[in-house]
Amino acid sequence: MKLLIINGPNLNMLGLREPKIYGDRNYAALCEFIKNAADEAGATCEIYQSNHEGAIVDKIQAAYGNFDGIVINPAAYTHTSVAIADALCAVAIPTVEVHISNVMEREPFRHHSYVAPVAKKTYMGLGFDGYKKAIRHLTHGEE
Ligand code: CA2
């Protein structure tokens, strides 16, 4: 199974600030964690990070016919982007949404997700483990 992992704006800054919310590991550690989780699940993965909404839309469109599943942490675009939700809907690739922090326990503006209605499932508040859960959900149907 070929998985595309998409990380949105500022996730490349992980580990530099706000360790109480996002932990103290950096983005390279997250990528390593994701690669190991995909390996263990018997999947291949490409990891993509962008700070630009249109670039993320382009990447989702380019995934059509090329990937079997998408794991996406849209970061701040979760709460604003109809365009990313529409792109996921258009390609109809099974998608799981991940958030490192529990957005429902944070500021009210983080409570709404445009992506959740087009995702099979959302994991939040599990730190890096949310990505592993998402991978295992797509590869093995685990909850
Ligand atoms: O909890 C998550 O994974 C988020 O998607 C992370 C986003 C945030 O906008 C979402 O509401 C929840 C933020 C990404 C990283 O932001 C940083 C901020 C300071 C230092 C390092 C990263």
Side-chain angles (χ1 to χ4, degrees):
M1 183 176 244
K2 278 182 74 179
L3 300 178
L4 175 62
I5 319 294
I6 300 176
N7 285 312
N10 298 308
L11 283 162
N12 56 318
M13 303 294 277
L14 277 180
L16 298 184
R17 279 188 52 237
E18 307 213 83
K20 288 202 174 103
I21 299 174
Y22 302 116
D24 54 12
R25 289 180 286 178
N26 64 16
Y27 188 67
L30 176 61
C31 292
E32 197 57 31
F33 180 91
I34 290 168
K35 279 182 202 143
N36 288 336
D39 271 1
E40 278 170 30
T44 61
C45 76
E46 177 182 331
I47 304 171
Y48 176 78
Q49 191 275 330
S50 178
N51 296 323
H52 304 279
E53 184 177 19
I56 293 171
V57 170
D58 287 345
K59 192 70 185 174
I60 293 167
Q61 289 185 9
Y64 183 72
N66 292 310
F67 287 92
D68 309 302
I70 294 176
V71 174
I72 186 165
N73 182 345
Y77 290 139
T78 306
H79 320 299
T80 62
S81 183
V82 176
I84 289 174
D86 282 350
L88 290 168
C89 195
V91 298
I93 298 170
T95 296
V96 178
E97 177 187 16
V98 173
H99 298 288
I100 293 170
S101 64
N102 185 343
V103 288
M104 298 313 286
E105 290 179 350
R106 298 182 63 192
E107 305 95 319
F109 68 84
R110 296 186 200 274
H111 293 186
H112 181 260
S113 167
Y114 283 97
V115 169
V118 298
K120 285 185 73 194
K121 201 161 178 72
T122 299
Y123 294 102
M124 62 176 75
L126 302 173
F128 286 11
D129 280 344
Y131 288 85
K132 187 172 187 170
K133 289 255 189 203
I135 288 168
R136 297 216 55 102
H137 183 72
L138 287 167
T139 56
H140 290 76
E142 290 177 10
E143 287 302 309

